[in-house]
Amino acid sequence: MSNKVIGTSVPRWDAWSKVCGKADYTADIPVKNMLYGKIVRATIAHGRVLSLDTQAALAVPGVLKVLTPADLPRVKHATAGHPYTLDRSGDVYDKNILTEDVRLYGDEIAAVIAETQLAADIAAQKITAVYEEYPIYLTAQEAMTEGAREIHEGTKGNILADTTAKVGNVEEGFALADYVFEDEHRTQVVQHCHMENQTATAFQSADGRWTCISSTQIPHICRRILGEALDMPWSSFRVIKPFIGGGFGNKQDVTIEPLVVAMSIAMGGRPVRLELEREEVLAYTRVRHAIHYRSKVGVSKDGKITAWQVDAVSKTGGYASHGHSVAAKGGGILCTLYEIPHMSFRSRTVLTNTGNAGAMRGYGVPQITFAIEAMTDKICKELQLDPFEFRLANFKKEGAPHPLNGIPMVTNKVADCLTLGRQRFGWDAKMADSGAKGGSVRRGVGVAAFSYATGVYPYSLEIAGCRLTLNQDGTVKMLVGATEIGQGIDTGLAQIAAETLGIPAEMVYAEETTDTDIAPFDTGAYASRQIYVTGVAVAKAAEELKDKICRAAGKFYEIPHSAADVEDAFVINSVTGERVASLGDLALRTYYDKARAQTLTAEVSHNCHDNSYPMGVTFAEVDVDTQTGVVTVRSILNAHDSGVIINPLLAKGQVEGGMGMAISYALGEDLFYDPKTGEPLNNNLLDYKMPTCMDTPELDCMFVEPEDPFGPFGAKGLGEPPICSPAAAIRNAVCHALGFEINALPLTPGKVFAAIQNNRGGGADV
Amino acid sequence: MSNKVIGTSVPRWDAWSKVCGKADYTADIPVKNMLYGKIVRATIAHGRVLSLDTQAALAVPGVLKVLTPADLPRVKHATAGHPYTLDRSGDVYDKNILTEDVRLYGDEIAAVIAETQLAADIAAQKITAVYEEYPIYLTAQEAMTEGAREIHEGTKGNILADTTAKVGNVEEGFALADYVFEDEHRTQVVQHCHMENQTATAFQSADGRWTCISSTQIPHICRRILGEALDMPWSSFRVIKPFIGGGFGNKQDVTIEPLVVAMSIAMGGRPVRLELEREEVLAYTRVRHAIHYRSKVGVSKDGKITAWQVDAVSKTGGYASHGHSVAAKGGGILCTLYEIPHMSFRSRTVLTNTGNAGAMRGYGVPQITFAIEAMTDKICKELQLDPFEFRLANFKKEGAPHPLNGIPMVTNKVADCLTLGRQRFGWDAKMADSGAKGGSVRRGVGVAAFSYATGVYPYSLEIAGCRLTLNQDGTVKMLVGATEIGQGIDTGLAQIAAETLGIPAEMVYAEETTDTDIAPFDTGAYASRQIYVTGVAVAKAAEELKDKICRAAGKFYEIPHSAADVEDAFVINSVTGERVASLGDLALRTYYDKARAQTLTAEVSHNCHDNSYPMGVTFAEVDVDTQTGVVTVRSILNAHDSGVIINPLLAKGQVEGGMGMAISYALGEDLFYDPKTGEPLNNNLLDYKMPTCMDTPELDCMFVEPEDPFGPFGAKGLGEPPICSPAAAIRNAVCHALGFEINALPLTPGKVFAAIQNNRGGGADV
């Protein structure tokens, strides 16, 4: 039977309410008797607070309290939204809610609670600190220097982790090579710039526990981290996620919730709201890791990769946050994109006195893809190989096992993405049309492929849950712990439920909030996991509910339950095809039959032991003005294999959003720190340049849709893939236009212009 | 194994928050952008609105809209919070949200929506109506008069229903009698006077549906009635019940919710709050039925009842509301209290142009008990029989089937209540001490017994649900659709869950709100059903969760799951008695074991096919001042068989609350209507006299606790029983003091004084 709901562009259920301003985000939710918090931040990047003067702050009218580290539990917690491990090996517990030990400019050293936001803001500015200052390390290279002070005591050389992922024996691989290529690539620090800043409100609930309404991607994880950070039983907390204005990984760290709950505790349970300003979000929440790659690739005469060695140094800022996992992920990406018989992928994650890096859409993959596909481009150019043929010859084959974890990559249509995308993009015509275009403009085309994964299995726990309830009129209420953060996951999950149940998607009601007291356990929105992991939980719950519906049909109608089925919201006899009753009629009986009533619900907790691999390719055509260094993307196409697409319109939205972020990553965004003080220099949206819609070219996308056997209805992850390859493709197109390589992002006019002067572009230390 | 949690006075979980003012009731919940509603009420008691002038109202600044009947669906709905029947036979669908047909003074003829409550109130007063007036019928007798106009077209003689419940053949019974006694008894109209007035807020949710936050006893039923009243699919509505300040049955009718939702719909989804004033609640929500009983009892020489005939006429006001069920319930009460071989119980429910009667704590039983026990008292006096011996000889025997529905009354300790209560009360000493006490005071003692039922099976649907979730730290979240309205049901249910699970009650978290989108289906708070019906759902869910816990223990520890048990929040080996692990440790594994995680939840929908019979006896000692007619209750004891008591402190609270209401019912409360206009005369708390704590004597209670086989841990209902017999016992004590009968309630000084003049007290037509 063909799908009726899956693959259709069901409008997202919350679209109209967002357009009409009816959707309440955290700061929109009215709270009585509320107080306001403000964080007091260090004005040095490395050192120790010797004393704090809070007198002037406390004298500000409306100020009720100033919290200092001494007022809070001394226990350290990990802020990363990882799923947790029973042996607690998964995270670095290095963060106090407030600290005397300053590790980055803006570190949280105190907090003000006041009756108005203005009073809190004014008071925070009046708090002065006396510091003992230490040398600051703004690059990983500086931090790793012999004799550098340990930013966290005990972290030798400030290296949080130093690991090497290996396939085969890279020395043997290079021995087999006819050609060896080496180069270095660098990426910059960028920030997520979600529309809604981090905001949370905490208060004591009527049951004496602590409720935190928060703009978080990970309510259930947030609850756990509150318990860890505040050293209280985890169920002391209830985290409620309302509508969210984006997260992109930044809200996969728990950055403000422990403090705002601590504030409410300090105020005897009175509600306190803590809402970061854009300046704070840009500089003091999380950023994307800047990574420096040194790559060496061996290629045989017949155009096959024989060995690939990478040495990656990743700058993680003042705290571990997601720790080493972002940098380390690159190894798995490299060896699943290409068939590499001998690989060595060393990665080091280094603490520095800069903004804390954490999860950001793509989780290290835009960086490694930039390095991989720049190397691929170099190889093809230097050996005069066709970039399509070279890639097709070296792509990892469909069905091959993941070299590092052994899970077969059952579906992998990267080759189709490349081939079909080439046609759709009109690559050959564009290639023919490239070169000097008159005046100072040169035109080029570039292509880049990427590999990704869905969720975190087998490296971490994958678990999701769903509860479905059949309403009296045959509609269905869906509760999931997955987190709608603007991406439309609720709509996709509702489609899965509807398809499974045999009803239209409009008959499934998603829940507006994710409430840890109510929502089935699910680790949340990250790793492009929700359709894939939660989707299976939803499908399983829907199967269970449908089975119960069919059994109820057997009870209430003259039909064996084994013959009952549901189609178009009618109970049908699947043998005769006849409609037996509307689902609403059956539902009513399950509620109100005096002798046999039993409301139908189904709840499933799904422990996922699968992984599947979304793949894709970006094609880009650019103009480079050699007099100004300005790069203009003329056209760009993302071709994705994310398995079966549940909702084409929402998928297109995801891809276009990711491409937009990626173009900006390629061409403009860069977060700077004052080299002397470590103070963020452009942490505002005037100086940190985000593209507007005027800056964004037409975005094109296409989907190759193999039916993945593990994902629900054949789907694989799509949230992060769109951002992985555009920067690399644009870089390749720019290099094609210019005829030489630029090996650092972003490709700002200044950098491009300087490169034109040198016939080569590099970048500064990360 | 003896109980650890059941039978202990666990403090109610919400006590501290209520004491501290942290518990949010409907009107406390902050809502943005809110509008205010006000009902425009008819100023005649019977007639038709010919025209409405809304001009002046619309000119009041801040007034946005006036709704009239023409603006609303013309469909009629039933307001009663009955469980619903598939054939819709259970209710009378006679109510429009707003009406042109006025059936009682204060009927809802229009509604104002404004930006402030003040503007709405002022505007409502400016709306004038031109009426066609009809004759008004303020008593059932008047309404039944030949030729009286039908208050609802088609209701012949204004008799809503006329039914007779029969046991045996009453004529044969009287033929067997040696003595026959006849008399009439009348009860008055009283009102619930819950602390929190009816209040509801409605708005359009982000999903386009309609949310109604309401102080309702019956959220799930309210949702259904919204669908019926507004002629929309039932799942279009979401009803959320926060903390409630009492209901006593008045909030078992859906009185304001359809209008407030209609108001929000009219305002494009903007939130609207409708909060009744005390004057409106007293006169225009629901009241207790005034009932006139004509009784005839046959008794044999050996003191056995041979026949009992009752003709009851019940005044129900302008709308059916609960219809005939309140009056008709008396038959079942009569024949389950006493063994009556031949019974005929006729009841007529009559529409009148007075305040609408509906459910009120006791649901007709205080009335019929007054009539039964006044007759019993009369028989004992006239035949000079000992009132204890007569009752013991005639009480229905434990284990006997219910004469009308056949369900065996498996536990029935009314005889023990009588015997043990007699001792505790010190009846014999008090009896000896009765009579003239000097001055104008005469002292008397009285006793009265009652029978009740738990829930509504087999007459209506009985269904309840519970979902339990094991949290990471071993605590448990409990979701039920049962409705905490101040009685403490959540705490009792948490005890049932805790006892079953083997954990302390503090480890079970109840949910603050009942939300129809979330809470398992349950029909709500009425019929003393929740501990009995929902309690079984909770126990079943807890058994299921415990089984899952034991299976998980078998998975995670070296112990066969069949040997696993939980005791004091530890997983134990029930064979060796050893503690295997804390429940928290096991819970953590169920969440985070990478290979085998599966969060543990259990959800049960329980269709109850049982009924059990709470019984009891009240003993009262009074002083009557014959010069003033003032009755003072000197001491009073309620002895209850409500099965096993789950929480003695909360049970005591329930009983004392019920006794307080009953004393006031016996001695003072009475709602008056102007005989010319039908306008309520004392619908305010200055003129309608509620007792204060200074007016209330010391209240004593005791429990006889048979273990009922059907109720959870042996419990039967207790919510309503306390109010059933005190008025009858006080009346009997007053009659004992005075030496003659007074056969109408309430026993106000005026009525008692007048009776003293006549040596007999009756009452006016009801």
Side-chain angles (χ1 to χ4, degrees), chain A residues 22 24 32 235 268 458 467 473 475 477 517-518 594-595 603 607 609, chain B residues 22 24 32 235 268 458 467 473 475 477 517-518 594-595 603 607 609:
Chain A
K22 291 203 184 210
D24 278 348
K32 282 184 309 178
S235 71
R467 174 182 180 239
D473 53 11
T475 59
K477 177 75 186 192
D517 261 31
I518 304 291
K594 209 167 75 180
E603 181 159 1
N607 182 211
H609 292 167
Chain B
K22 291 204 184 211
D24 278 348
K32 283 184 311 180
S235 71
R467 173 182 179 239
D473 53 11
T475 58
K477 177 76 186 190
D517 261 30
I518 303 292
K594 210 167 75 180
E603 182 160 2
N607 182 209
H609 292 168

mmCIF file of all heavy atoms in Angstrom, chain A residues 22 24 32 235 268 458 467 473 475 477 517-518 594-595 603 607 609, chain B residues 22 24 32 235 268 458 467 473 475 477 517-518 594-595 603 607 609:
data_model
loop_
_atom_site.group_PDB
_atom_site.id
_atom_site.type_symbol
_atom_site.label_atom_id
_atom_site.label_comp_id
_atom_site.label_asym_id
_atom_site.label_seq_id
_atom_site.Cartn_x
_atom_site.Cartn_y
_atom_site.Cartn_z
ATOM 1 N N LYS A 22 0.520 34.015 18.141
ATOM 2 C CA LYS A 22 -0.167 33.329 19.233
ATOM 3 C C LYS A 22 0.720 32.287 19.909
ATOM 4 O O LYS A 22 0.312 31.690 20.910
ATOM 5 C CB LYS A 22 -1.424 32.625 18.717
ATOM 6 C CG LYS A 22 -2.501 33.598 18.287
ATOM 7 C CD LYS A 22 -3.873 32.952 18.321
ATOM 8 C CE LYS A 22 -4.913 33.911 17.801
ATOM 9 N NZ LYS A 22 -6.224 33.701 18.399
ATOM 10 N N ASP A 24 3.486 31.115 22.202
ATOM 11 C CA ASP A 24 4.198 31.698 23.342
ATOM 12 C C ASP A 24 5.575 31.072 23.511
ATOM 13 O O ASP A 24 5.693 29.858 23.718
ATOM 14 C CB ASP A 24 3.393 31.504 24.633
ATOM 15 C CG ASP A 24 2.309 32.552 24.781
ATOM 16 O OD1 ASP A 24 2.340 33.546 24.020
ATOM 17 O OD2 ASP A 24 1.449 32.388 25.655
ATOM 18 N N LYS A 32 3.442 35.415 37.529
ATOM 19 C CA LYS A 32 3.115 36.387 38.575
ATOM 20 C C LYS A 32 4.326 36.667 39.443
ATOM 21 O O LYS A 32 5.118 35.768 39.696
ATOM 22 C CB LYS A 32 2.041 35.803 39.503
ATOM 23 C CG LYS A 32 0.655 35.829 38.957
ATOM 24 C CD LYS A 32 -0.316 35.315 40.011
ATOM 25 C CE LYS A 32 0.136 33.982 40.583
ATOM 26 N NZ LYS A 32 -0.739 33.477 41.631
ATOM 27 N N SER A 235 14.532 14.362 40.289
ATOM 28 C CA SER A 235 13.100 14.602 40.176
ATOM 29 C C SER A 235 12.667 15.824 40.972
ATOM 30 O O SER A 235 11.485 16.164 40.988
ATOM 31 C CB SER A 235 12.313 13.370 40.624
ATOM 32 O OG SER A 235 12.414 13.200 42.023
ATOM 33 N N GLY A 268 13.436 32.020 47.925
ATOM 34 C CA GLY A 268 12.358 31.294 48.595
ATOM 35 C C GLY A 268 11.305 30.768 47.644
ATOM 36 O O GLY A 268 10.166 30.521 48.032
ATOM 37 N N PRO A 458 26.421 3.974 17.722
ATOM 38 C CA PRO A 458 26.594 3.190 18.956
ATOM 39 C C PRO A 458 27.455 3.886 20.021
ATOM 40 O O PRO A 458 27.801 3.248 21.001
ATOM 41 C CB PRO A 458 27.335 1.954 18.433
ATOM 42 C CG PRO A 458 28.213 2.519 17.355
ATOM 43 C CD PRO A 458 27.436 3.644 16.731
ATOM 44 N N ARG A 467 3.683 8.573 23.600
ATOM 45 C CA ARG A 467 2.387 8.136 24.132
ATOM 46 C C ARG A 467 1.288 8.688 23.241
ATOM 47 O O ARG A 467 1.280 9.879 22.930
ATOM 48 C CB ARG A 467 2.197 8.640 25.554
ATOM 49 C CG ARG A 467 0.792 8.358 26.139
ATOM 50 C CD ARG A 467 0.696 8.954 27.528
ATOM 51 N NE ARG A 467 -0.587 8.751 28.164
ATOM 52 C CZ ARG A 467 -1.382 9.760 28.580
ATOM 53 N NH1 ARG A 467 -1.025 11.010 28.392
ATOM 54 N NH2 ARG A 467 -2.515 9.512 29.193
ATOM 55 N N ASP A 473 -13.452 11.562 19.575
ATOM 56 C CA ASP A 473 -13.919 11.758 18.203
ATOM 57 C C ASP A 473 -12.991 11.106 17.177
ATOM 58 O O ASP A 473 -13.093 11.389 15.984
ATOM 59 C CB ASP A 473 -14.102 13.256 17.910
ATOM 60 C CG ASP A 473 -12.855 14.062 18.223
ATOM 61 O OD1 ASP A 473 -11.786 13.452 18.466
ATOM 62 O OD2 ASP A 473 -12.937 15.296 18.215
ATOM 63 N N THR A 475 -9.809 11.486 16.889
ATOM 64 C CA THR A 475 -8.520 12.153 16.768
ATOM 65 C C THR A 475 -7.561 11.552 17.787
ATOM 66 O O THR A 475 -7.970 10.807 18.680
ATOM 67 C CB THR A 475 -8.650 13.668 17.013
ATOM 68 O OG1 THR A 475 -9.176 13.883 18.327
ATOM 69 C CG2 THR A 475 -9.581 14.308 15.983
ATOM 70 N N LYS A 477 -4.131 12.235 20.347
ATOM 71 C CA LYS A 477 -3.183 13.133 20.997
ATOM 72 C C LYS A 477 -1.827 12.451 21.059
ATOM 73 O O LYS A 477 -1.727 11.289 21.463
ATOM 74 C CB LYS A 477 -3.652 13.452 22.413
ATOM 75 C CG LYS A 477 -2.697 14.314 23.211
ATOM 76 C CD LYS A 477 -2.738 15.755 22.768
ATOM 77 C CE LYS A 477 -1.681 16.586 23.465
ATOM 78 N NZ LYS A 477 -1.883 18.025 23.263
ATOM 79 N N ASP A 517 7.749 16.231 33.314
ATOM 80 C CA ASP A 517 6.869 15.451 34.183
ATOM 81 C C ASP A 517 5.859 14.641 33.379
ATOM 82 O O ASP A 517 5.231 13.733 33.931
ATOM 83 C CB ASP A 517 6.097 16.384 35.134
ATOM 84 C CG ASP A 517 6.743 16.423 36.512
ATOM 85 O OD1 ASP A 517 7.968 16.266 36.587
ATOM 86 O OD2 ASP A 517 6.017 16.623 37.501
ATOM 87 N N ILE A 518 5.696 14.978 32.133
ATOM 88 C CA ILE A 518 4.614 14.423 31.322
ATOM 89 C C ILE A 518 5.146 13.693 30.094
ATOM 90 O O ILE A 518 4.708 12.593 29.775
ATOM 91 C CB ILE A 518 3.692 15.578 30.833
ATOM 92 C CG1 ILE A 518 3.147 16.402 32.001
ATOM 93 C CG2 ILE A 518 2.588 15.036 29.933
ATOM 94 C CD1 ILE A 518 2.166 15.689 32.869
ATOM 95 N N LYS A 594 -20.851 1.028 28.620
ATOM 96 C CA LYS A 594 -20.893 0.894 30.075
ATOM 97 C C LYS A 594 -20.205 -0.381 30.550
ATOM 98 O O LYS A 594 -19.546 -0.399 31.579
ATOM 99 C CB LYS A 594 -22.346 0.917 30.559
ATOM 100 C CG LYS A 594 -22.502 1.473 31.945
ATOM 101 C CD LYS A 594 -23.963 1.766 32.275
ATOM 102 C CE LYS A 594 -24.750 0.516 32.555
ATOM 103 N NZ LYS A 594 -26.158 0.805 32.879
ATOM 104 N N ALA A 595 -20.365 -1.433 29.769
ATOM 105 C CA ALA A 595 -19.837 -2.721 30.218
ATOM 106 C C ALA A 595 -18.394 -2.953 29.777
ATOM 107 O O ALA A 595 -17.668 -3.710 30.409
ATOM 108 C CB ALA A 595 -20.714 -3.847 29.673
ATOM 109 N N GLU A 603 1.833 3.520 24.839
ATOM 110 C CA GLU A 603 3.082 4.218 25.160
ATOM 111 C C GLU A 603 4.251 3.284 24.910
ATOM 112 O O GLU A 603 4.224 2.115 25.300
ATOM 113 C CB GLU A 603 3.080 4.695 26.614
ATOM 114 C CG GLU A 603 4.356 5.453 26.961
ATOM 115 C CD GLU A 603 4.228 6.363 28.171
ATOM 116 O OE1 GLU A 603 3.151 6.413 28.781
ATOM 117 O OE2 GLU A 603 5.234 7.043 28.467
ATOM 118 N N ASN A 607 14.491 1.926 22.522
ATOM 119 C CA ASN A 607 15.948 1.971 22.648
ATOM 120 C C ASN A 607 16.532 1.619 21.280
ATOM 121 O O ASN A 607 16.440 0.488 20.831
ATOM 122 C CB ASN A 607 16.382 0.969 23.731
ATOM 123 C CG ASN A 607 17.871 0.953 24.000
ATOM 124 O OD1 ASN A 607 18.429 -0.070 24.347
ATOM 125 N ND2 ASN A 607 18.515 2.083 23.842
ATOM 126 N N HIS A 609 19.031 0.828 18.352
ATOM 127 C CA HIS A 609 20.335 0.191 18.136
ATOM 128 C C HIS A 609 20.755 0.254 16.669
ATOM 129 O O HIS A 609 21.432 -0.642 16.175
ATOM 130 C CB HIS A 609 20.284 -1.266 18.600
ATOM 131 C CG HIS A 609 20.140 -1.410 20.078
ATOM 132 N ND1 HIS A 609 19.818 -2.571 20.705
ATOM 133 C CD2 HIS A 609 20.276 -0.504 21.078
ATOM 134 C CE1 HIS A 609 19.751 -2.389 22.020
ATOM 135 N NE2 HIS A 609 20.020 -1.144 22.257
ATOM 136 N N LYS B 22 0.848 29.619 47.535
ATOM 137 C CA LYS B 22 1.546 29.304 46.286
ATOM 138 C C LYS B 22 0.683 28.487 45.335
ATOM 139 O O LYS B 22 1.093 28.204 44.212
ATOM 140 C CB LYS B 22 2.829 28.516 46.578
ATOM 141 C CG LYS B 22 3.882 29.351 47.274
ATOM 142 C CD LYS B 22 5.272 28.769 47.033
ATOM 143 C CE LYS B 22 6.303 29.547 47.816
ATOM 144 N NZ LYS B 22 7.617 29.597 47.177
ATOM 145 N N ASP B 24 -2.060 27.972 42.781
ATOM 146 C CA ASP B 24 -2.789 28.847 41.863
ATOM 147 C C ASP B 24 -4.157 28.272 41.510
ATOM 148 O O ASP B 24 -4.256 27.186 40.946
ATOM 149 C CB ASP B 24 -1.989 29.051 40.572
ATOM 150 C CG ASP B 24 -0.930 30.120 40.733
ATOM 151 O OD1 ASP B 24 -0.970 30.847 41.756
ATOM 152 O OD2 ASP B 24 -0.074 30.249 39.842
ATOM 153 N N LYS B 32 -2.125 36.567 29.396
ATOM 154 C CA LYS B 32 -1.828 37.804 28.674
ATOM 155 C C LYS B 32 -3.045 38.300 27.921
ATOM 156 O O LYS B 32 -3.820 37.500 27.417
ATOM 157 C CB LYS B 32 -0.744 37.544 27.619
ATOM 158 C CG LYS B 32 0.630 37.434 28.156
ATOM 159 C CD LYS B 32 1.617 37.284 27.005
ATOM 160 C CE LYS B 32 1.169 36.213 26.027
ATOM 161 N NZ LYS B 32 2.068 36.035 24.908
ATOM 162 N N SER B 235 -12.774 17.020 20.531
ATOM 163 C CA SER B 235 -11.341 17.238 20.712
ATOM 164 C C SER B 235 -10.936 18.651 20.314
ATOM 165 O O SER B 235 -9.770 19.001 20.393
ATOM 166 C CB SER B 235 -10.530 16.207 19.911
ATOM 167 O OG SER B 235 -10.634 16.458 18.531
ATOM 168 N N GLY B 268 -12.034 36.169 18.395
ATOM 169 C CA GLY B 268 -10.933 35.687 17.548
ATOM 170 C C GLY B 268 -9.874 34.924 18.315
ATOM 171 O O GLY B 268 -8.729 34.833 17.875
ATOM 172 N N PRO B 458 -24.410 0.233 38.934
ATOM 173 C CA PRO B 458 -24.546 -0.168 37.533
ATOM 174 C C PRO B 458 -25.412 0.783 36.704
ATOM 175 O O PRO B 458 -25.735 0.465 35.567
ATOM 176 C CB PRO B 458 -25.250 -1.515 37.661
ATOM 177 C CG PRO B 458 -26.160 -1.319 38.837
ATOM 178 C CD PRO B 458 -25.425 -0.387 39.782
ATOM 179 N N ARG B 467 -1.754 6.836 34.868
ATOM 180 C CA ARG B 467 -0.450 6.588 34.237
ATOM 181 C C ARG B 467 0.629 6.888 35.257
ATOM 182 O O ARG B 467 0.626 7.950 35.886
ATOM 183 C CB ARG B 467 -0.266 7.493 33.017
ATOM 184 C CG ARG B 467 1.142 7.419 32.386
ATOM 185 C CD ARG B 467 1.225 8.399 31.225
ATOM 186 N NE ARG B 467 2.512 8.433 30.556
ATOM 187 C CZ ARG B 467 3.259 9.527 30.459
ATOM 188 N NH1 ARG B 467 2.858 10.673 30.984
ATOM 189 N NH2 ARG B 467 4.410 9.497 29.806
ATOM 190 N N ASP B 473 15.318 8.881 39.618
ATOM 191 C CA ASP B 473 15.785 8.680 40.997
ATOM 192 C C ASP B 473 14.877 7.744 41.788
ATOM 193 O O ASP B 473 14.978 7.666 43.006
ATOM 194 C CB ASP B 473 15.934 10.022 41.710
ATOM 195 C CG ASP B 473 14.678 10.871 41.639
ATOM 196 O OD1 ASP B 473 13.628 10.336 41.221
ATOM 197 O OD2 ASP B 473 14.742 12.055 41.996
ATOM 198 N N THR B 475 11.684 7.951 42.160
ATOM 199 C CA THR B 475 10.380 8.530 42.470
ATOM 200 C C THR B 475 9.425 8.225 41.316
ATOM 201 O O THR B 475 9.855 7.788 40.240
ATOM 202 C CB THR B 475 10.477 10.049 42.685
ATOM 203 O OG1 THR B 475 11.015 10.642 41.490
ATOM 204 C CG2 THR B 475 11.389 10.379 43.860
ATOM 205 N N LYS B 477 5.971 9.551 39.074
ATOM 206 C CA LYS B 477 4.997 10.575 38.715
ATOM 207 C C LYS B 477 3.664 9.905 38.454
ATOM 208 O O LYS B 477 3.585 8.926 37.708
ATOM 209 C CB LYS B 477 5.456 11.312 37.457
ATOM 210 C CG LYS B 477 4.480 12.344 36.947
ATOM 211 C CD LYS B 477 4.494 13.618 37.766
ATOM 212 C CE LYS B 477 3.410 14.576 37.339
ATOM 213 N NZ LYS B 477 3.570 15.900 37.964
ATOM 214 N N ASP B 517 -6.018 16.908 27.794
ATOM 215 C CA ASP B 517 -5.131 16.431 26.741
ATOM 216 C C ASP B 517 -4.099 15.443 27.277
ATOM 217 O O ASP B 517 -3.440 14.768 26.489
ATOM 218 C CB ASP B 517 -4.386 17.615 26.100
ATOM 219 C CG ASP B 517 -5.036 18.038 24.793
ATOM 220 O OD1 ASP B 517 -6.259 17.882 24.663
ATOM 221 O OD2 ASP B 517 -4.313 18.535 23.895
ATOM 222 N N ILE B 518 -3.940 15.412 28.573
ATOM 223 C CA ILE B 518 -2.848 14.664 29.193
ATOM 224 C C ILE B 518 -3.362 13.593 30.143
ATOM 225 O O ILE B 518 -2.903 12.460 30.128
ATOM 226 C CB ILE B 518 -1.955 15.642 30.012
ATOM 227 C CG1 ILE B 518 -1.415 16.794 29.138
ATOM 228 C CG2 ILE B 518 -0.843 14.885 30.702
ATOM 229 C CD1 ILE B 518 -0.431 16.396 28.092
ATOM 230 N N LYS B 594 22.925 1.640 27.875
ATOM 231 C CA LYS B 594 22.949 1.923 26.440
ATOM 232 C C LYS B 594 22.276 0.830 25.621
ATOM 233 O O LYS B 594 21.599 1.094 24.637
ATOM 234 C CB LYS B 594 24.395 2.119 25.977
ATOM 235 C CG LYS B 594 24.536 3.057 24.808
ATOM 236 C CD LYS B 594 25.973 3.468 24.572
ATOM 237 C CE LYS B 594 26.785 2.369 23.949
ATOM 238 N NZ LYS B 594 28.188 2.784 23.719
ATOM 239 N N ALA B 595 22.475 -0.402 26.042
ATOM 240 C CA ALA B 595 21.955 -1.519 25.246
ATOM 241 C C ALA B 595 20.527 -1.902 25.610
ATOM 242 O O ALA B 595 19.815 -2.457 24.791
ATOM 243 C CB ALA B 595 22.868 -2.734 25.440
ATOM 244 N N GLU B 603 0.183 2.411 32.203
ATOM 245 C CA GLU B 603 -1.079 3.146 32.098
ATOM 246 C C GLU B 603 -2.225 2.157 32.068
ATOM 247 O O GLU B 603 -2.178 1.162 31.345
ATOM 248 C CB GLU B 603 -1.092 4.024 30.843
ATOM 249 C CG GLU B 603 -2.376 4.824 30.740
ATOM 250 C CD GLU B 603 -2.260 6.040 29.832
ATOM 251 O OE1 GLU B 603 -1.194 6.259 29.246
ATOM 252 O OE2 GLU B 603 -3.262 6.773 29.726
ATOM 253 N N ASN B 607 -12.439 -0.070 33.867
ATOM 254 C CA ASN B 607 -13.897 -0.021 33.751
ATOM 255 C C ASN B 607 -14.463 -0.768 34.956
ATOM 256 O O ASN B 607 -14.345 -1.986 35.048
ATOM 257 C CB ASN B 607 -14.293 -0.679 32.417
ATOM 258 C CG ASN B 607 -15.785 -0.660 32.151
ATOM 259 O OD1 ASN B 607 -16.304 -1.524 31.484
ATOM 260 N ND2 ASN B 607 -16.482 0.345 32.667
ATOM 261 N N HIS B 609 -16.939 -2.433 37.495
ATOM 262 C CA HIS B 609 -18.229 -3.139 37.498
ATOM 263 C C HIS B 609 -18.647 -3.518 38.910
ATOM 264 O O HIS B 609 -19.300 -4.539 39.112
ATOM 265 C CB HIS B 609 -18.140 -4.398 36.631
ATOM 266 C CG HIS B 609 -17.981 -4.090 35.171
ATOM 267 N ND1 HIS B 609 -17.641 -5.024 34.236
ATOM 268 C CD2 HIS B 609 -18.108 -2.932 34.488
ATOM 269 C CE1 HIS B 609 -17.562 -4.464 33.031
ATOM 270 N NE2 HIS B 609 -17.838 -3.198 33.175
#
